Amino acid sequence: MYTHRHNRRKRRTVLTVATAALFVPFVAACGSEQAGADAGRASAGSATAGTAEQSLTGIRWNVDSVTVDGTTHRATSDAYMILTEDGGVEGSYGCNSFRGDSALDGDRVRLDLLESTAVACDGPGREFDHALLNAFTDDSPRAEVKDGRLTLTSGDGNTVRFSEGGEDTPLYGTKWKIVSPDSAGRAHLTFDEKEGTVSGSLGCNKVNADATVRDGHITVGTPTTTRMVCEDSLMNTEKRLLRLFDATLSYRVDHRNMTLTSENGTTVNAFATA
């Protein structure tokens, strides 16, 4: 449900066409509210200096990373932006979703009537949302498009990197970073179709096991692990992740997010690293 909506016509946001479809994630964090300008139809326009000439409408731009004050934050959730053909704008900050109107005026795009959900964000998702918010607030970043990737650079050197894409990330060959339960960013899994295995890290110890994928389920065999001892928080997370093994899991991939659910009720959320 979209709960926040404002129309600040006296504070119109005007961006170049190459950056407009990518601005909203940086002016709203979890539960925040923003607005832009008069609604209308959005379409392709001339690219600004340093950008490739291309239409941005109908393209899903995935946020890969944001660098603020010299610190790079890798995406931990599915933040993206789409400028629709019918004069709308929609997407996700990574935690909350948003939608609104857009209009093309020459080589500039105005965004208006932006609404966002108000879900409380916790953990890495909240941190990433805040990094996006701080990247380009009250700034018009320079945009560079090359080979399906886009980089926005602000006057003070902050950057946000995107990749073009709309299809779900393949299960096999992807490094799936475990987002929940929290492992301080150290747990990850990769499925190998040829070898029929899953391997990676449980946050402390490395792990390897047989893995067979069939009919929307993954049957995972007995794990082989190293025998290191880490801090209690990581060991507790590792115990939860071990419940995924010697079990049949249901799985769902939604763009760059993956959810694994075991028969015993254990649920793990993962994100495809760029």
Side-chain angles (χ1 to χ4, degrees):
M1 180 177 181
Y2 291 88
T3 58
H4 292 278
R5 173 172 173 170
H6 282 263
N7 181 12
R8 304 178 189 170
R9 296 186 183 275
K10 293 183 179 180
R11 297 184 61 187
R12 176 171 292 176
T13 300
V14 182
L15 302 174
T16 64
V17 67
T19 61
L22 307 157
F23 182 73
V24 173
F26 315 117
V27 295
C30 298
S32 63
E33 49 196 69
Q34 294 291 333
D38 297 332
R41 181 175 178 81
S43 60
S46 299
T48 58
T51 68
E53 188 171 327
Q54 81 177 79
S55 169
L56 298 183
T57 59
I59 296 175
R60 178 189 172 98
W61 293 104
N62 296 322
V63 182
D64 292 329
S65 67
V66 55
T67 301
V68 179
D69 297 330
T71 300
T72 297
H73 305 264
R74 301 293 179 184
T76 58
S77 55
D78 202 16
Y80 69 93
M81 180 78 163
I82 299 174
L83 191 66
T84 63
E85 297 284 353
D86 61 355
V89 61
E90 61 188 49
S92 171
Y93 305 131
C95 177
N96 282 281
S97 300
F98 65 87
R99 66 185 180 188
D101 296 329
S102 62
L104 178 65
D105 182 10
D107 64 349
R108 294 178 181 270
V109 171
R110 296 186 178 95
L111 305 178
D112 193 23
L113 302 175
L114 299 182
E115 304 171 333
S116 67
T117 55
V119 178
C121 310
D122 296 316
R126 179 181 179 85
E127 295 176 5
F128 189 68
D129 281 354
H130 286 178
L132 287 174
L133 172 66
N134 293 329
F136 294 116
T137 300
D138 298 324
D139 193 9
S140 295
R142 180 177 64 87
E144 181 180 359
V145 181
K146 183 178 181 181
D147 298 330
R149 295 184 179 276
L150 185 145
T151 302
L152 299 182
T153 305
S154 68
D156 55 8
N158 294 331
T159 61
V160 180
R161 301 184 187 279
F162 305 79
S163 58
E164 179 182 348
E167 297 182 355
D168 292 340
T169 302
L171 172 67
Y172 292 113
T174 299
K175 184 177 180 180
W176 294 100
K177 184 177 180 179
I178 305 299
V179 177
S180 174
D182 184 20
S183 66
R186 295 170 62 175
H188 58 87
L189 296 172
T190 300
F191 293 89
D192 188 314
E193 182 177 17
K194 183 178 179 181
E195 298 295 331
T197 60
V198 59
S199 61
S201 171
L202 299 173
C204 178
N205 286 283
K206 295 181 180 179
V207 65
N208 187 82
D210 292 335
T212 303
V213 180
R214 182 179 301 166
D215 299 329
H217 292 79
I218 306 173
T219 301
V220 185
T222 303
T224 300
T225 68
T226 54
R227 297 185 178 277
M228 295 176 57
V229 177
C230 299
E231 54 267 36
D232 289 344
S233 60
L234 286 180
M235 297 308 294
N236 289 334
T237 296
E238 189 160 297
K239 289 179 181 178
R240 290 185 61 186
L241 292 177
L242 282 172
R243 296 174 188 169
L244 297 176
F245 296 82
D246 277 328
T248 297
L249 317 174
S250 60
Y251 77 97
R252 180 173 61 88
V253 175
D254 182 9
H255 293 293
R256 295 188 293 172
N257 295 320
M258 179 176 67
T259 302
L260 296 171
T261 304
S262 69
E263 294 173 329
N264 59 28
T266 298
T267 299
V268 170
N269 297 311
F271 179 72
T273 57

